[in-house]
Amino acid sequence: MCAEHYLEVKNLKKHFPVKTNFFGQTLSWLKAVDGVDFHLNRGETMGLVGESGCGKSTLGRLIINLLTPTEGGVYFENQNIYDLRGSEQKRLRRKMQIIFQDPYGSLNPRMNIGDIIAEPLYIHGLAQGMGAKKRVRQLLDYVGLSSYHASRYPHEFSGGQRQRVGIARALAVNPELIVCDEPVSALDVSIQSQVLNLLEDLQNELGLTYLFIAHGLNVVKHVSDRVGVMYLGKIMEITDSQELYGNPLHPYTRALLSAIPIPDPGLRRQRIILKGDVMSPIDPPKGCRFCARCPDAFDLCRDREPELVEYSVGHHVACHKVRRDAAG
Amino acid sequence: MQAQTNIDNLESQAAHEAHDGLEIEQLKPGQEAWRRLKKDKLAVAGGCILIAVVLVSVLAPIISTHNPNTVVNSNRLLPMGTPGHILGTDHLGRDMLTRLLYGGRISVAIGFTAVGIAMFFGITIGLLAGYYKGFFDTLVMRFIDILMAFPYVLLAIAIIAALGPGLLNAMIAISIVGIPYYARIVRGTVLSLREQEYIEAQKALGASDLRILFKHILPNSLSPIIVAATLDVGWMIIAASGMSFLGLGAQPPTAEWGVMLSDGKDFLRAAPHISLLPGMAIFIVVLSLNLLGDGLRDALDPRLKQ
């Protein structure tokens, strides 16, 4: 692990207590994020995919310090963000922002769009009065809305427009890193591409870094430079986008890739259908988390948890079978 | 691939979106509720009666022709309709109309002030308990549970017994009795609101807890509070009158509806109007408040939104 990474996530864990006994002792834990390591380079888009409940949203919230981790750290420009307090913490908030999944829940229904976008300006004392109004107009313009939208209320907008407002609010503080928590999964397919293109344009214009969380590989393919695949709180495979789609190593990644629909009814292809359900993240047993559903699992998988190992440059996989195959 | 083809739709789709935005009538959430409230005839009637009562009470010194506390022995127990005393006089010859008007001042003032005090403390407790959860929440809410386990009136009487009888103490007592009610409502709404993404967004933006609580959570939890408060003013008026009736609140010769009711109970056969009139006054005010409160509940309830 080299030190010059823009953002580095080290052994990050977040466990939620599920059951406590009468004396307040926790009997079982939900391990939403259970030891995640990866890094982000400045200006890139890193995709993070996984099924619902695999902990990717929790991971996103941990990275922008909306949640406090059970263990581990996130190093932003070589500083652990959980060590920052007071004004330093506030300064960090200006550098990292989040765009939420649900465009209906992420805007205060009692504030008009102008006030919603101006909130971050007031919080950080970036602009006031006319200056704030001007900045709001500029931000609305950035995200493809008109200045007359500022006096409207969220319920007057469509999902796509609301998501644009959410993006404008995040941009108000001039952030460097934006965590996009499934920003398009609640939108129509046609609107999805609009929002994705908007995000891409903004990245080119403002030099943003994205952590792009999604639950399907197809959306991520469109936007990401690198992709991480998550399963039950752990990263299973992480590599650059082309390598992942061209040469997937982890059985779970292969299964996910085979699930992407191809709009060609004549095409015959091999689908990998996973059997069984996602294991409960509450008190997972030892061994590989995926082994119960893995088509290639063998004894070792049920016994020891595989570690994330680099197989080629920047291609990390956590799988015993891949390791065995690589060893010959 | 799929995304690529959809980009072609971008232009037309964007036009659609803008058009949709224009079509919707521009109404703030509050304006919408106001429009619905205006349609509710009973609520409007309740509101009108309430405004009339408040106006008449405030203007009592101007409207009334007599002094509420002047005893005229020659005019005792005059029936309703007597010239000069339209609503008659009580057992001490005091003008009933004048006393009713002055009594209204006290009852309405007590009702609103007590609700104001209860709301202030209830909202503060509810906001803090709901937002910070944890030990503070457990401690405070268990205490609130204890308060709620007492019958309302009994608790009020107990508090007055400790503080001593009097108008102010009665008001304090019924305020305290009202606090748990608001604390519960507010805590409940805050518990659900704090998990909303727009609150998370404010945290991510670095907003202070105070800003989140008062600028984002409180405005969104107001509608149940408004409804509860409107209905509660009526209850507080009844409770205050009840305390006065029992001799724990306003003391004679103060013109207060509860006191008047109590005064009249000895003359129910000879001069029923002495008790009947303040009783009717309480009834009308509380009814109008309930009508208005019910109307507000319907107007503010998002489930009824079209």
Side-chain angles (χ1 to χ4, degrees):
Chain A
M1 295 272 164
C2 34
E4 71 262 32
H5 288 140
Y6 179 55
L7 181 120
E8 175 117 31
V9 176
K10 274 187 192 161
N11 190 29
L12 198 62
K13 290 184 183 176
K14 179 71 186 177
H15 298 174
F16 296 103
V18 197
K19 233 168 48 186
T20 48
N21 69 7
F22 183 73
F23 302 102
Q25 285 170 310
T26 305
L27 297 176
S28 59
W29 297 93
L30 188 150
K31 301 187 173 174
V33 174
D34 200 18
V36 165
D37 298 274
F38 69 93
H39 69 271
L40 277 176
N41 300 318
R42 190 185 281 273
E44 75 170 351
T45 301
M46 158 119 177
L48 195 63
V49 291
E51 304 171 56
S52 328
C54 74
K56 52 195 193 303
S57 286
T58 308
L59 181 58
R61 279 164 170 73
L62 282 168
I63 287 172
I64 63 161
N65 201 357
L66 273 179
L67 290 171
T68 317
T70 312
E71 209 184 304
V74 172
Y75 297 83
F76 183 73
E77 291 172 337
N78 290 322
Q79 205 167 23
N80 191 346
I81 62 167
Y82 305 114
D83 292 341
L84 301 177
R85 292 280 169 269
S87 62
E88 279 181 322
Q89 179 69 250
K90 211 168 170 182
R91 204 160 338 135
L92 177 82
R93 296 277 186 214
R94 284 180 57 182
K95 292 189 173 173
M96 294 172 149
Q97 273 306 311
I98 183 165
I99 299 169
F100 290 97
Q101 172 180 9
D102 176 13
Y104 293 87
S106 59
L107 305 177
N108 186 340
R110 295 205 176 263
M111 288 174 100
N112 68 32
I113 302 305
D115 288 340
I116 289 173
I117 300 175
E119 267 292 286
L121 302 177
Y122 297 137
I123 292 168
H124 292 281
L126 299 175
Q128 266 158 1
M130 283 314 290
K133 276 204 177 120
K134 214 173 125 197
R135 176 81 174 128
V136 168
R137 273 206 298 275
Q138 185 193 5
L139 287 163
L140 283 170
D141 191 48
Y142 265 146
V143 297
L145 294 171
S146 309
S147 51
Y148 66 82
H149 284 127
S151 59
R152 300 281 185 79
Y153 283 81
H155 70 93
E156 299 170 47
F157 289 87
S158 67
Q161 286 174 314
R162 288 180 200 217
Q163 204 54 292
R164 286 165 191 266
V165 174
I167 296 172
R169 174 178 57 192
L171 289 177
V173 291
N174 281 322
E176 297 171 9
L177 168 71
I178 297 185
V179 173
C180 307
D181 184 9
E182 305 198 31
V184 296
S185 48
L187 305 176
D188 286 349
V189 183
S190 55
I191 311 286
Q192 281 189 8
S193 53
Q194 282 181 38
V195 172
L196 290 178
N197 287 329
L198 171 67
L199 287 172
E200 222 165 353
D201 292 344
L202 290 168
Q203 181 170 41
N204 294 335
E205 209 168 318
L206 306 170
L208 300 168
T209 308
Y210 288 138
L211 176 67
F212 195 98
I213 299 169
H215 58 238
L217 276 167
N218 48 346
V219 172
V220 166
K221 185 181 183 181
H222 192 60
V223 293
S224 309
D225 302 315
R226 289 193 306 132
V227 179
V229 177
M230 239 179 128
Y231 188 81
L232 279 180
K234 289 214 106 163
I235 296 227
M236 291 291 163
E237 180 161 9
I238 189 164
T239 180
D240 58 83
S241 193
Q242 278 185 327
E243 172 83 4
L244 186 93
Y245 289 91
N247 180 25
L249 292 176
H250 199 283
Y252 181 58
T253 316
R254 292 184 186 179
L256 276 185
L257 280 171
S258 85
I260 298 177
I262 300 168
D264 180 1
L267 198 73
R268 292 247 155 228
R269 61 194 177 121
Q270 279 261 265
R271 275 224 46 198
I272 305 167
I273 312 281
L274 291 177
K275 45 189 197 305
D277 285 324
V278 187
M279 204 170 54
S280 162
I282 299 170
D283 299 326
K286 62 177 186 172
C288 176
R289 276 138 211 267
F290 185 57
C291 71
R293 303 172 74 193
C294 184
D296 305 325
F298 55 104
D299 289 346
L300 184 61
C301 301
R302 279 175 270 277
D303 219 40
R304 250 192 27 225
E305 191 150 21
E307 283 166 25
L308 207 57
V309 180
E310 186 162 6
Y311 286 93
S312 54
V313 180
H315 194 159
H316 302 260
V317 184
C319 180
H320 289 308
K321 179 181 179 281
V322 175
R323 189 168 196 174
R324 193 180 62 180
D325 292 352
Chain B
M1 286 298 173
Q2 201 179 353
Q4 198 61 42
T5 52
N6 283 320
I7 296 170
D8 303 336
N9 298 332
L10 193 148
E11 235 77 335
S12 65
Q13 199 67 41
H16 265 295
E17 270 189 75
H19 187 62
D20 284 349
L22 282 174
E23 263 183 347
I24 302 165
E25 221 183 319
Q26 255 182 281
L27 278 179
K28 293 186 194 181
Q31 286 174 319
E32 216 174 289
W34 177 238
R35 198 187 52 185
R36 273 200 297 269
L37 187 65
K38 278 194 294 191
K39 277 191 201 154
D40 189 342
K41 289 198 181 70
L42 281 175
V44 171
C48 290
I49 295 172
L50 191 67
I51 290 169
V53 168
V54 170
L55 266 180
V56 163
S57 306
V58 170
L59 298 175
I62 301 168
I63 299 172
S64 60
T65 45
H66 300 73
N67 183 310
N69 294 327
T70 311
V71 177
V72 183
N73 275 325
S74 54
N75 285 345
R76 295 176 69 222
L77 301 177
L78 291 179
M80 293 204 284
T82 313
H85 299 283
I86 304 169
L87 296 179
T89 57
D90 68 1
H91 62 294
L92 295 174
R94 296 173 294 194
D95 183 50
M96 282 301 289
L97 177 64
T98 310
R99 283 181 71 76
L100 278 180
L101 294 178
Y102 277 88
R105 301 183 98 180
I106 294 177
S107 289
V108 171
I110 282 198
F112 283 98
T113 319
V115 165
I117 296 172
M119 260 172 85
F120 176 79
F121 288 104
I123 289 174
T124 312
I125 292 171
L127 277 178
L128 296 177
Y131 189 72
Y132 290 107
K133 300 207 278 190
F135 182 68
F136 176 77
D137 180 37
T138 315
L139 190 78
V140 170
M141 292 322 285
R142 286 305 81 78
F143 183 69
I144 295 278
D145 285 344
I146 294 172
L147 280 185
M148 284 190 110
F150 281 104
Y152 289 137
V153 177
L154 200 65
L155 181 61
I157 291 174
I159 295 170
I160 295 173
L163 297 174
L167 191 59
L168 186 69
N169 289 346
M171 194 177 76
I172 293 172
I174 57 173
S175 304
I176 295 175
V177 172
I179 291 174
Y181 187 49
Y182 293 97
R184 275 261 178 111
I185 298 175
V186 175
R187 174 176 173 271
T189 27
V190 172
L191 278 179
S192 71
L193 284 175
R194 74 193 293 280
E195 307 298 334
Q196 295 283 319
E197 281 189 342
Y198 62 85
I199 300 301
E200 268 194 305
Q202 292 306 317
K203 283 187 198 160
L205 286 167
S208 62
D209 286 351
L210 270 181
R211 189 182 185 92
I212 293 175
L213 275 173
F214 288 101
K215 201 159 177 198
H216 298 275
I217 290 185
L218 187 57
N220 280 293
S221 51
L222 270 185
S223 40
I225 303 175
I226 293 172
V227 173
T230 319
L231 294 170
D232 214 26
V233 172
W235 184 84
M236 295 278 192
I237 289 177
I238 292 183
S241 302
M243 292 302 128
S244 300
F245 181 86
L246 296 173
L248 300 169
Q251 300 296 314
T254 318
E256 201 269 352
W257 292 343
V259 174
M260 291 164 72
L261 211 86
S262 167
D263 283 346
K265 71 178 188 297
D266 299 333
F267 306 92
L268 267 182
R269 283 184 149 209
H273 69 279
I274 303 177
S275 289
L276 220 54
L277 286 171
M280 287 298 289
I282 295 172
F283 168 71
I284 289 170
V285 171
V286 175
L287 179 70
S288 68
L289 279 162
N290 279 335
L291 290 176
L292 183 65
D294 281 342
L296 272 175
R297 179 183 2 233
D298 294 344
L300 291 170
D301 194 334
R303 275 167 298 185
L304 295 173
K305 258 183 197 162
Q306 285 132 3

